[in-house]
Amino acid sequence: MAIWLLLLFLLSPLLSSSTTTAKITHLFPSSIIHPEQLKISLATKTTNKLYKEKFYTQILDHFNYNPQSYHTFQQRYLINSKYWGGANNNSPIFVYTGNEGDIEWFAQNTGFMFETAPHFKALLVFIEHRFYGKSMPYGGNKVIAYSNSTTLGYLSSTQALADYATLIVDLKKNLTATDSPVVVFGGSYGGMLAAWFRLKYPHVAVGALASSAPILNFDNITSPFSFNNIITQDFRSESEKCYKVIKRSWQEIDETAAKPGGLEILRKSFRICKNYISAGSLKSWLGTAYVYTAMTDYPTPSNFLNPLPAYPVKQMCKAIDDPKTGNNTLEKLYGAANIYYNYTGDAKCFDLNDDSDPHGLGGWTWQACTEMILLTDGNTEESIFPASNYSYNDRLEFCKEKYNIEPRPSWVPMEFGAHHIHRVLKRFGSNIIFFNGLRDPWSGGGVLKDISKSVVAIVAKEGAHHVDLRFSTSEDPEWLKHARKREIHIISKWLSQYYRTLDDSP
Amino acid sequence: MAIWLLLLFLLSPLLSSSTTTAKITHLFPSSIIHPEQLKISLATKTTNKLYKEKFYTQILDHFNYNPQSYHTFQQRYLINSKYWGGANNNSPIFVYTGNEGDIEWFAQNTGFMFETAPHFKALLVFIEHRFYGKSMPYGGNKVIAYSNSTTLGYLSSTQALADYATLIVDLKKNLTATDSPVVVFGGSYGGMLAAWFRLKYPHVAVGALASSAPILNFDNITSPFSFNNIITQDFRSESEKCYKVIKRSWQEIDETAAKPGGLEILRKSFRICKNYISAGSLKSWLGTAYVYTAMTDYPTPSNFLNPLPAYPVKQMCKAIDDPKTGNNTLEKLYGAANIYYNYTGDAKCFDLNDDSDPHGLGGWTWQACTEMILLTDGNTEESIFPASNYSYNDRLEFCKEKYNIEPRPSWVPMEFGAHHIHRVLKRFGSNIIFFNGLRDPWSGGGVLKDISKSVVAIVAKEGAHHVDLRFSTSEDPEWLKHARKREIHIISKWLSQYYRTLDDSP
C-alpha cells in the first residue's frame, strides 16, 4: 500500500530544507531498472496461464441517487476457474479485494490463492479497485478521472467495498453459484478492505484473510512513531553499526551538499544521472530504499517493488558493514542503495527525478488526502531517520494545496471501527484472520492479538509485508510454512461450518 | 413508516380506472380532523418536559469527496438528560434512529424510552433523519432540498446511518462520555435503521431494539401478498361477515359511481366535502383507513396516525356488523370510516383531496423510488381488497415519471443483507431484538424467529405496529407488559456484559 503514502509523507523530515510543495514534487520512486519491462515479462509469464481478464459494469455512486450517481464504468476483474469445483458442489469462491494499483500486479504477488485453490476447489477472482489500473470511471479516461476533486470524489474505500459486494453478488448469480461461500483475501490496503468487507458484508463473505492490514493506524490509536521505530529495529537487528552509519549519514549528506562542488561529489558517489540532484532528493531516494527494503524484507528473493535478494535488510547492512568501504559513508550508502535499486546490476545511472508509476499507484495521493490518514512520519531520537515530530498539519496543507480539499481523519475509524477493537469485536463478528509480520513497519498498526475464537491474529516475528500471501518457494522457512498452514486450517474450518449451516437450512 | 409508501403503492389496485399519475395525485391522507392542531396540543403537552431541541452540523455526503460532499446542514436531535447517570458512571445512552418524518412525532410515540430511562439511568437522544422535519439540507430550505433528484440524491439510508454514527460519536466526545454504551431503538423504518446500525456500526452501538422492522420485505424474500393477507386476516379474525362486506364493497362503489347521480349518492353517504369525489379517490380513502387501522390495531386508545379507540379493527367491524345498518353497505362502510377518520366526532365533512402532511413524511416518496422497494401490493383472491398482482413495473414507471429515476431494488438486501439472514447472522453479529406484532401487516417482512442467542425475535400474536415502543397505560394487556419486560431484561444483559468487558480492558 504504502508506496505513495510513504513517498509523500513518511520521508518529509529528510527534506527539511524544501517547501511542502517541493517535497512532494521530488518524492516519487526513482530507479532506472526498467520497471515497465519487468512488468511485461511478469505478465507474459503469467497472465495467460493464471487468469482471464473480464469487465463488470459498475455503478459510480452506491450511496446517493443524484443523476450522476447512476453513471457507470467498467470495473476489471481477473478470474481463474481452473480449480473450481463448480456451482453444483457449492465450491468456494476466493476473492482478492484489490488495492491501490493495477490488479494484475497484486494477483501476481498473491500466489497463496493460486496455490491453495486446488485444495479448496476454489474459483479465484481478483477485483480491481476503482480508479486504478483499467477500472477507471469517466469512460476509462484516467486524465479526466484524475483531473480534479469533482471527478476523483468517487474514489473512496466505502465505494470500493460496495463495488466488491455488488460484483460478487452479481457474479454468483450469473454462475448460478449463489450458495458458494466467498472468502476474501487482501494484503496491505487490500487487507484492510478484506477485513472491513467481512465486517460490513458478512452476508457476502463468510470470512476474510487480512494480511498486513494496518486498520489501527488511525486517529493516534497507533503511535505515529511506530512505523519508523520498526524500520529502525529491523536494521539494528542486523547490525548496530549499520544502523549507526545510516543514522549519521543524513547530516553528512547535508554537509557534503553544502560544500562547493559537494553536489557533484554526491552525484558521482551514487551514480546519479546528470539530469538532477539535490540533498533532499538524494535523501528521499535513500530513505525510500530503506523503507521499502524493510517492508519487503522477505526470506527469499522477490520482485514485488523491485527485484531483491533474500533478507535484503541483511544484505544492505552487509554492504554498509563491508570492510572494503572503510570509513567512506557515501560508498557504504551506495552499496546499500544498489541492493534496492540495482539488484539486477543493469542500472547505468539513477534518476532522482524518475516519476514513472509502473503499478499505477498514483490515486493513493488522493486517498491519503481524503480518508487514509495513516500518520507514520514520527521519528524519535533513536530513529534511523532524522528525529522529527509527525504532523497532521503538513498533510492538511499539502492536500489543500494539491486538491483544495480537507482530509477527514476521523472518518475511517468512525466508519469501520478501530478504537477498542478488542472490546467491540469480542462478541460481534467472526471469521477474520489478521496476519502480521513484525519486521513490517506497518505491523504496528495491525491487530496483533486474538480478539475472539474466530477473529484471530497470526503473528510472524520474522515476517515482512504480507509475506504469507506470496508464492511459496522451496527455500521458505518453517515459520512461514507454519503461518500458511494455519491460515489454510482456519479457512477450512470456516468453510465446513458454512456447509454444515447450509445443510441445516435448505 | 408505511404512510407514503402505502398511499402511493399499496392501494393502487383500488384505483384501476385511473392512470399512474392520477393515482399518485389523489393518494394523500384525507381527513379534516385538524392534524396540525393535534400536533400542537401534543407538543405543548410534552415538548418542554420531555426533551430539548438541539442541532448538529452534519456533512452532506459521507462516502464521496467531491466539493459538494463537504457541504453541511443542521441536523436536529432531541435530548433528555433528566435520568442520565452521567459520564462519570459510564451511564448508557439510548438513541432513537429517526424515521421518515418529524422526529418530535416519533419521540412522542416512543414512550418506552422515556419510561425505561430512569431504570437504566439513560440519556435519551432522538435523532432526526436527514431531509425530514427541521433536518433539511440546503440551508434548511425544504423547497430546494425537495426540488429535484440532484438535491434529493443525498436522501438515502446509508447516509442516514452515517449521520447517526457521526453525531453519536461526536456527542459522546463532547459529553466526555466515550465509554458510555449506546443502545439504539427504532420502530418501522426507524427499526430497520436501528438493526442495520447495530450491524454496520457495532463499535458505536452495543445493541439495537428494532421494532416492527420489515428488513426482509425486499427482493421477494417476503411474499408481496403477505402485507394484505395480514390485513385480511386481521378483519376476518374479528368477524367473517365484516370481512365479506368490505371485500364486496369495492364493486358496489364502482357500480354506484357508474350510475347517473351515483357520485352524489356516494358523497352524501360518506359526508365527503363538496370539493371532490371519484370512485377511485373514495376507495383509496377507505383503503387507507383499513390499512392504517390494521397497522395501529393497538389494545388501548391511541393517537399515532389518527385518534383511535382501543382495538380499532374490532370497532370497525362492530360498526359494519351493526344490525341497525341492515343491508346498507355504504352506511356500514361509513361507520367504519368514521372510526378511523372521525373518532373525535369533530369532522363536519371529509376532504378526499386533503394532502396535508402533518408529520412531514413527504420524503418517503423519494426513498420508495430509490432504495426502499418494499413490494406489498399483491392481493390474492381471498384478499379484503380487490385481487391484483403486485407490480414492480408500476413503481418503476411512477418513479421515472416523477423523478426521472430508476429504483435500485436489489440495493438494500445487497447492502444490509436479507437473503438467508438466519444462516448469515447465526455466527456473526449480536445484540439485536426484533419485535413484531403479528396483527401488523408489516410483520410478514420481519424477523420472527431467533437467529442466535443474542439476535432474538420477540413475537406478540396480538400486537400491532411497534406497539412495544408506545407509552404504557394502565390498561395494557399482559402480553404487552411481558414483551416490554423481556426487552428490558435483554437490554440489561447487553449493558452488564458491556460493563464487564469494560472492566476487563481498561
Side-chain angles (χ1 to χ4, degrees):
Chain A
M1 150 174 61
I3 303 194
W4 257 221
L5 181 59
L6 281 173
L7 291 168
L8 287 171
F9 304 109
L10 283 179
L11 304 174
S12 48
L14 301 180
L15 295 158
S16 45
S17 60
S18 45
T19 69
T20 306
T21 323
K23 266 181 218 176
I24 305 312
T25 324
H26 304 301
L27 283 170
F28 293 95
S30 314
S31 87
I32 55 157
I33 50 156
H34 311 298
E36 278 303 334
Q37 197 187 330
L38 269 170
K39 194 187 146 202
I40 289 156
S41 70
L42 256 176
T44 49
K45 204 168 63 194
T46 55
T47 308
N48 296 328
K49 289 179 206 163
L50 286 181
Y51 43 74
K52 279 190 193 145
E53 183 185 68
K54 300 217 172 188
F55 289 87
Y56 175 76
T57 301
Q58 187 58 269
I59 202 164
L60 183 61
D61 185 354
H62 297 280
F63 304 106
N64 298 313
Y65 298 91
N66 323 76
Q68 70 271 23
S69 77
Y70 282 80
H71 293 180
T72 58
F73 66 96
Q74 294 303 300
Q75 179 164 31
R76 177 164 63 154
Y77 63 101
L78 313 175
I79 191 161
N80 171 321
S81 53
K82 186 175 166 187
Y83 310 108
W84 196 35
N88 288 340
N89 297 314
N90 296 326
S91 288
I93 302 175
F94 286 2
V95 174
Y96 189 92
T97 50
N99 319 26
E100 73 287 21
D102 189 310
I103 190 62
E104 289 200 71
W105 183 48
F106 296 110
Q108 289 155 14
N109 280 280
T110 310
F112 182 74
M113 288 173 67
F114 293 98
E115 291 179 348
T116 54
H119 170 75
F120 288 108
K121 302 190 172 165
L123 178 71
L124 300 181
V125 182
F126 298 81
I127 314 179
E128 192 161 67
H129 195 293
R130 56 167 57 199
F131 283 84
Y132 292 99
K134 294 187 182 172
S135 300
M136 216 49 80
Y138 304 95
N141 188 327
K142 188 174 173 177
V143 175
I144 296 175
Y146 277 47
S147 59
N148 57 54
S149 60
T150 297
T151 54
L152 272 168
Y154 299 101
L155 168 50
S156 77
S157 55
T158 44
Q159 297 283 5
L161 291 169
D163 288 344
Y164 298 152
T166 313
L167 193 155
I168 292 168
V169 168
D170 263 19
L171 182 68
K172 286 178 71 174
K173 256 187 213 156
N174 292 341
L175 296 168
T176 57
T178 46
D179 280 345
S180 281
V182 171
V183 179
V184 287
F185 297 76
S188 198
Y189 171 52
M192 291 159 69
L193 292 173
W196 293 337
F197 192 85
R198 169 62 183 157
L199 288 174
K200 296 286 192 187
Y201 296 93
H203 47 290
V204 184
V206 302
L209 170 51
S211 183
S212 300
I215 59 167
L216 306 181
N217 219 131
F218 294 88
D219 238 6
N220 258 319
I221 299 169
T222 301
S223 159
F225 298 94
S226 158
F227 190 92
N228 291 326
N229 280 350
I230 294 172
I231 296 173
T232 302
Q233 185 47 38
D234 286 348
F235 281 84
R236 289 184 95 159
S237 75
E238 297 298 348
S239 148
E240 187 71 13
K241 208 176 125 196
C242 163
Y243 150 72
K244 281 187 179 151
V245 168
I246 298 174
K247 184 169 177 53
R248 285 186 208 127
S249 69
W250 311 108
Q251 202 184 338
E252 186 165 339
I253 292 170
D254 281 336
E255 287 166 3
T256 308
K259 283 185 207 158
L263 283 178
E264 200 49 33
I265 294 170
L266 291 175
R267 185 205 301 283
K268 282 190 179 149
S269 303
F270 290 96
R271 278 210 276 168
I272 305 302
C273 307
K274 297 230 157 159
N275 57 343
Y276 179 78
I277 192 168
S278 70
S281 61
L282 178 64
K283 289 190 291 178
S284 150
W285 181 78
L286 288 167
T288 301
Y290 306 140
V291 170
Y292 288 138
T293 303
M295 265 174 65
T296 59
D297 191 30
Y298 299 133
T300 54
S302 67
N303 184 0
F304 181 48
L305 299 163
N306 278 348
L308 282 176
Y311 301 110
V313 172
K314 191 189 289 295
Q315 296 306 317
M316 272 195 169
C317 280
K318 222 169 153 181
I320 285 173
D321 293 346
D322 188 345
K324 280 186 288 183
T325 57
N327 282 327
N328 187 334
T329 304
L330 299 183
E331 201 182 335
K332 286 172 180 297
L333 298 184
Y334 172 69
N338 240 330
I339 304 284
Y340 182 72
Y341 289 116
N342 191 24
Y343 187 60
T344 59
D346 296 339
K348 300 286 172 260
C349 69
F350 300 102
D351 178 4
L352 298 190
N353 247 351
D354 183 12
D355 59 356
S356 66
D357 178 15
H359 307 304
L361 308 162
W364 186 255
T365 312
W366 170 260
Q367 294 197 257
C369 272
T370 49
E371 54 188 17
M372 292 298 151
I373 316 302
L374 300 126
L375 292 183
T376 51
D377 52 355
N379 286 289
T380 62
E381 288 298 326
E382 292 283 289
S383 177
I384 197 165
F385 303 115
S388 69
N389 231 314
Y390 69 98
S391 166
Y392 170 69
N393 276 339
D394 283 358
R395 178 84 59 111
L396 178 65
E397 266 176 48
F398 167 74
C399 299
K400 272 189 172 168
E401 189 167 327
K402 185 159 177 72
Y403 300 112
N404 192 24
I405 216 159
E406 226 174 281
R408 296 182 190 159
S410 56
W411 168 251
V412 163
M414 208 294 299
E415 175 67 8
F416 299 113
H419 292 278
H420 310 297
I421 194 169
H422 283 79
R423 187 197 295 168
V424 171
L425 296 186
K426 191 173 175 181
R427 289 190 194 83
F428 183 98
S430 56
N431 297 4
I432 305 177
I433 300 169
F434 291 101
F435 172 87
N436 277 286
L438 295 187
R439 292 182 74 80
D440 175 11
W442 288 112
S443 63
V447 174
L448 301 176
K449 279 184 194 164
D450 288 357
I451 291 178
S452 68
K453 269 193 181 172
S454 75
V455 180
V456 298
I458 297 183
V459 176
K461 199 161 61 73
E462 305 91 335
H465 207 45
H466 48 72
V467 61
D468 56 326
L469 294 185
R470 301 187 60 72
F471 276 103
S472 66
T473 78
S474 53
E475 289 105 54
D476 286 342
E478 280 308 311
W479 60 262
L480 180 52
K481 289 184 199 165
H482 178 72
R484 288 184 182 135
K485 217 179 251 174
R486 243 197 100 190
E487 289 171 353
I488 292 168
H489 177 72
I490 293 170
I491 293 168
S492 302
K493 273 206 309 194
W494 297 343
L495 293 174
S496 344
Q497 198 164 57
Y498 170 82
Y499 289 121
R500 276 202 308 278
T501 314
L502 194 62
D503 292 341
D504 293 349
S505 58
Chain B
M1 153 172 57
I3 302 196
W4 257 222
L5 182 59
L6 281 171
L7 291 169
L8 287 171
F9 303 110
L10 283 177
L11 304 174
S12 48
L14 302 180
L15 297 159
S16 46
S17 60
S18 46
T19 69
T20 307
T21 323
K23 267 181 215 174
I24 304 311
T25 323
H26 304 303
L27 282 169
F28 292 94
S30 313
S31 86
I32 53 157
I33 49 158
H34 310 298
E36 278 302 335
Q37 196 185 333
L38 269 169
K39 195 186 143 201
I40 289 158
S41 70
L42 256 175
T44 47
K45 204 166 62 194
T46 54
T47 308
N48 295 329
K49 291 180 206 163
L50 287 181
Y51 43 75
K52 277 187 194 148
E53 184 184 70
K54 299 215 172 190
F55 288 88
Y56 175 75
T57 300
Q58 188 58 267
I59 202 164
L60 183 61
D61 185 354
H62 298 280
F63 305 106
N64 299 313
Y65 299 91
N66 324 74
Q68 70 272 22
S69 77
Y70 282 80
H71 292 180
T72 57
F73 66 96
Q74 293 303 302
Q75 179 165 32
R76 176 165 61 155
Y77 64 101
L78 312 175
I79 192 161
N80 171 320
S81 53
K82 185 174 167 188
Y83 310 109
W84 196 35
N88 287 342
N89 297 313
N90 295 325
S91 289
I93 302 175
F94 286 3
V95 174
Y96 189 92
T97 51
N99 319 28
E100 73 287 21
D102 188 310
I103 189 62
E104 291 201 71
W105 184 46
F106 296 110
Q108 288 154 12
N109 280 279
T110 310
F112 183 73
M113 288 172 66
F114 293 98
E115 291 178 347
T116 54
H119 170 75
F120 288 107
K121 300 189 176 166
L123 179 71
L124 300 181
V125 182
F126 299 82
I127 314 180
E128 193 162 68
H129 195 293
R130 55 166 58 200
F131 283 85
Y132 292 98
K134 294 186 181 172
S135 301
M136 215 51 78
Y138 304 96
N141 189 325
K142 187 173 175 177
V143 175
I144 296 175
Y146 276 48
S147 59
N148 58 53
S149 59
T150 297
T151 52
L152 272 168
Y154 299 100
L155 168 50
S156 77
S157 55
T158 43
Q159 297 283 7
L161 291 170
D163 288 343
Y164 298 152
T166 313
L167 193 155
I168 293 168
V169 168
D170 263 19
L171 182 68
K172 285 177 72 176
K173 256 187 215 153
N174 292 341
L175 297 168
T176 56
T178 46
D179 280 345
S180 281
V182 171
V183 179
V184 287
F185 297 75
S188 198
Y189 171 52
M192 293 159 69
L193 292 172
W196 294 337
F197 192 85
R198 169 64 183 157
L199 288 174
K200 297 286 190 185
Y201 296 93
H203 46 291
V204 184
V206 301
L209 169 51
S211 182
S212 300
I215 60 167
L216 306 180
N217 219 131
F218 293 89
D219 239 5
N220 257 319
I221 299 169
T222 300
S223 159
F225 297 95
S226 158
F227 190 93
N228 291 325
N229 280 350
I230 294 172
I231 297 173
T232 302
Q233 186 47 39
D234 286 348
F235 281 85
R236 286 183 97 159
S237 75
E238 296 298 349
S239 148
E240 187 71 15
K241 206 176 129 196
C242 164
Y243 151 73
K244 281 186 177 152
V245 168
I246 297 174
K247 184 167 176 54
R248 285 187 207 126
S249 70
W250 311 110
Q251 199 183 339
E252 187 165 338
I253 292 170
D254 281 335
E255 286 168 2
T256 308
K259 282 184 206 162
L263 284 177
E264 201 48 37
I265 294 169
L266 291 175
R267 184 203 302 280
K268 281 189 179 150
S269 304
F270 289 97
R271 279 209 278 169
I272 305 302
C273 308
K274 296 230 157 161
N275 58 342
Y276 179 79
I277 192 169
S278 72
S281 61
L282 177 64
K283 288 190 294 178
S284 150
W285 181 76
L286 288 167
T288 301
Y290 305 142
V291 170
Y292 288 137
T293 302
M295 267 174 64
T296 57
D297 192 31
Y298 298 132
T300 54
S302 67
N303 184 2
F304 180 48
L305 300 163
N306 278 346
L308 282 176
Y311 299 110
V313 172
K314 191 190 287 294
Q315 295 306 318
M316 271 196 169
C317 280
K318 220 169 155 183
I320 285 173
D321 293 346
D322 187 345
K324 280 185 288 182
T325 56
N327 283 326
N328 188 334
T329 304
L330 300 184
E331 202 181 335
K332 285 172 182 297
L333 298 183
Y334 172 69
N338 241 326
I339 303 285
Y340 182 73
Y341 288 116
N342 190 25
Y343 186 60
T344 58
D346 296 337
K348 300 287 171 261
C349 69
F350 300 102
D351 178 4
L352 298 190
N353 248 351
D354 183 11
D355 60 357
S356 66
D357 178 13
H359 307 303
L361 307 161
W364 187 255
T365 312
W366 169 260
Q367 294 197 258
C369 270
T370 49
E371 54 188 17
M372 292 298 152
I373 316 302
L374 300 126
L375 292 182
T376 50
D377 52 355
N379 286 289
T380 64
E381 288 298 325
E382 292 284 290
S383 176
I384 198 165
F385 302 115
S388 70
N389 230 314
Y390 70 98
S391 166
Y392 170 67
N393 276 340
D394 284 358
R395 177 86 58 113
L396 178 65
E397 266 178 49
F398 166 72
C399 299
K400 274 189 170 168
E401 191 167 324
K402 184 159 178 75
Y403 300 112
N404 192 25
I405 216 157
E406 228 176 278
R408 297 182 189 158
S410 54
W411 168 252
V412 163
M414 208 296 297
E415 175 68 9
F416 300 112
H419 292 277
H420 310 299
I421 193 168
H422 284 78
R423 188 198 295 167
V424 171
L425 296 186
K426 192 175 174 178
R427 288 190 195 83
F428 184 98
S430 57
N431 298 4
I432 305 176
I433 301 169
F434 290 102
F435 171 86
N436 277 286
L438 296 186
R439 293 182 74 80
D440 175 12
W442 289 112
S443 63
V447 174
L448 301 176
K449 278 182 195 165
D450 287 357
I451 292 179
S452 68
K453 269 193 181 170
S454 74
V455 181
V456 298
I458 297 183
V459 175
K461 198 162 60 74
E462 305 91 334
H465 206 46
H466 47 71
V467 61
D468 57 327
L469 294 185
R470 301 187 60 71
F471 276 103
S472 66
T473 76
S474 53
E475 288 105 53
D476 287 342
E478 279 309 310
W479 59 261
L480 180 52
K481 287 184 199 165
H482 178 72
R484 288 183 182 137
K485 219 179 250 174
R486 244 197 100 191
E487 290 171 353
I488 292 167
H489 178 71
I490 294 170
I491 293 168
S492 302
K493 274 208 306 195
W494 297 342
L495 293 175
S496 346
Q497 199 164 57
Y498 171 81
Y499 289 121
R500 276 202 306 277
T501 314
L502 194 62
D503 292 340
D504 293 350
S505 58

